[in-house]
Amino acid sequence: MQEIKREVLVSKASELLKNGTVDRVFGWKKGEFDYDITPALFTTAEDIEKEFVWGDFCGANFSKYLVKETGKSENKVLVFLKPCDTYSFNQLLTEHRFDREKVYAVGVPCNGMLDTGKIKSHAEGIAKVTDNGDKVVIETLFDGEITLERNELLPDRCLNCKSKKHVAYDELLGEDGTVLDSHRFDEVEKLEKMTSDERFAFWQNELSRCIRCNACRDVCPACTCEKCVFDNPNSGVENKAASNEFEEKMFHIIRAFHVVGRCTDCGECSRVCPQHIPLHLLNRKFIKDIDSFYGEYQAGAEEGSRAPIVNYTKGDIEPSAAVERSGNNA
């Protein structure tokens, strides 16, 4: 159950449209099922009143959408941002990827989104999902009602949320939260304790399921290159499924290296992966190492902040020492 009602968001969007502050609104629209929520762009208050959705399946982070959308008009676009989204928002501003003057950002509190994959693992033929706070009731076509603890159905990014605090907005709806004492690196530490053969087997098993749909790249707020190296027709791997074990790993390892120091740990990559590969663990390994070698740093926490790996200081750790202190890689 979200901490703010749909009606509040609808009222705010309609108000800003009618008074001319914005001329379009990023929001969510219902799909074929209760859990099938899709991002949408609204241009009228009537459509917002009729179709705008806010609830447990509005997980999409709109920050990256602003890169292209702000170039389409001189007018402002309204975007609703959950706390984790605001970190991506700030990071994209730091990289000068969209025009801040063309955006009206409204912060909305979030109590965690539900994971459709986890719901489907507990029930088949889902007809309706009702969030009752600590419990979630799933109505099915075959097995009647199933009641589960809400925490059982949260994705990792929500179970181990790093912050309930909005770090960027023009207006805030509801109360703001705080940065949390997250356990988001626990799984990374488990991987680090494995032998190299065990880690290789783990990632080989996970990445072997990749179908190269590019969903992770396309949704990632840190992947905003106008031309991706993997779209180069001369690369030999342009938009195709991996033909061998090397290609299975190459795409994801290269992508993880490309977002080092810029990944805000929003978890969008894992959210959209149709094969349920825990891609966020690769990024968290780099985040954890940066914190260990250079001091705690959170990409997107402040607009304009620079990752330690792009700033040289005399106290920087030497490469050989970094390898030794890192121990086992994830």
Side-chain angles (χ1 to χ4, degrees):
M1 181 182 298
Q2 302 309 312
E3 297 176 350
I4 195 165
K5 301 295 185 182
R6 168 190 178 271
E7 290 74 19
V8 176
L9 275 67
V10 168
S11 175
K12 177 55 60 178
S14 298
E15 171 195 334
L16 293 172
L17 274 174
K18 290 176 180 178
N19 66 23
T21 300
V22 303
D23 69 353
R24 57 211 191 283
V25 176
F26 271 124
W28 301 266
K29 182 186 294 186
K30 185 176 179 180
E32 187 175 357
F33 307 103
D34 281 354
Y35 55 84
D36 180 26
I37 304 300
T38 183
L41 189 67
F42 299 92
T43 56
T44 68
E46 291 74 20
D47 285 344
I48 289 175
E49 181 63 42
K50 180 180 178 181
E51 299 183 308
F52 188 98
V53 172
W54 170 246
D56 290 312
F57 301 102
C58 298
N61 177 353
F62 289 130
S63 298
K64 184 174 182 176
Y65 292 47
L66 299 173
V67 175
K68 289 187 176 180
E69 189 60 36
T70 53
K72 295 179 180 179
S73 171
E74 291 302 312
N75 298 317
K76 287 189 176 185
V77 57
L78 167 60
V79 61
F80 289 106
L81 300 175
K82 303 181 295 296
C84 56
D85 302 338
T86 61
Y87 287 79
S88 302
F89 185 88
N90 264 353
Q91 185 61 31
L92 287 169
L93 282 176
T94 296
E95 297 172 12
H96 309 289
R97 298 302 287 128
F98 67 87
D99 187 344
R100 181 66 176 89
E101 297 303 315
K102 295 182 180 179
V103 180
Y104 192 87
V106 174
V108 292
C110 173
N111 197 33
M113 297 291 165
L114 297 184
D115 187 325
T116 56
K118 288 187 176 181
I119 291 176
K120 290 178 180 179
S121 71
H122 287 282
E124 294 184 1
I126 301 169
K128 187 177 181 181
V129 179
T130 304
D131 186 345
N132 292 324
D134 294 334
K135 306 284 185 181
V136 174
V137 178
I138 306 170
E139 296 179 29
T140 73
L141 300 176
F142 311 112
D143 303 314
E145 288 187 356
I146 300 174
T147 301
L148 297 168
E149 295 288 336
R150 190 174 192 274
N151 279 349
E152 292 182 46
L153 303 177
L154 293 177
D156 180 82
R157 67 172 180 172
C158 296
L159 277 173
N160 295 301
C161 178
K162 66 178 179 290
S163 177
K164 296 293 186 183
K165 177 181 175 62
H166 296 78
V167 293
Y169 56 84
D170 292 300
E171 183 176 351
L172 183 65
L173 299 180
E175 296 182 2
D176 206 5
T178 60
V179 176
L180 303 176
D181 182 15
S182 173
H183 294 276
R184 57 182 173 144
F185 298 124
D186 287 0
E187 290 300 313
V188 174
E189 291 176 355
K190 289 180 182 179
L191 287 172
E192 290 175 335
K193 292 176 182 177
M194 293 180 180
T195 66
S196 57
D197 287 342
E198 289 171 338
R199 280 195 309 279
F200 184 87
F202 171 84
W203 284 113
Q204 183 63 51
N205 176 64
E206 295 294 339
L207 298 181
S208 66
R209 300 198 302 273
C210 177
I211 57 176
R212 276 299 307 279
C213 64
N214 290 329
C216 56
R217 179 199 67 181
D218 294 343
V219 78
C220 176
C223 280
T224 59
C225 293
E226 293 182 5
K227 185 70 171 181
C228 176
V229 64
F230 285 97
D231 288 335
N232 183 346
N234 296 321
S235 67
V237 292
E238 180 191 20
N239 290 329
K240 74 179 185 69
S243 62
N244 54 49
E245 293 180 358
F246 173 74
E247 286 188 3
E248 284 176 353
K249 294 181 282 292
M250 179 177 66
F251 172 75
H252 292 290
I253 291 174
I254 289 178
R255 206 186 76 78
F257 269 103
H258 278 190
V259 302
V260 170
R262 301 165 50 242
C263 171
T264 63
D265 197 14
C266 70
E268 285 287 84
C269 51
S270 292
R271 181 183 72 86
V272 302
C273 178
Q275 298 298 89
H276 307 294
I277 302 172
L279 297 169
H280 62 281
L281 291 180
L282 285 171
N283 301 323
R284 282 185 180 171
K285 167 60 176 172
F286 288 119
I287 295 172
K288 180 175 178 292
D289 282 351
I290 288 175
D291 287 351
S292 174
F293 301 152
Y294 304 102
E296 290 192 12
Y297 173 78
Q298 175 58 60
E302 296 180 14
E303 180 188 347
S305 65
R306 291 169 57 86
I309 60 173
V310 297
N311 279 333
Y312 171 77
T313 69
K314 292 182 178 180
D316 280 352
I317 189 169
E318 293 296 326
S320 58
V323 171
E324 181 178 344
R325 283 176 53 183
S326 176
N328 296 325
N329 294 321

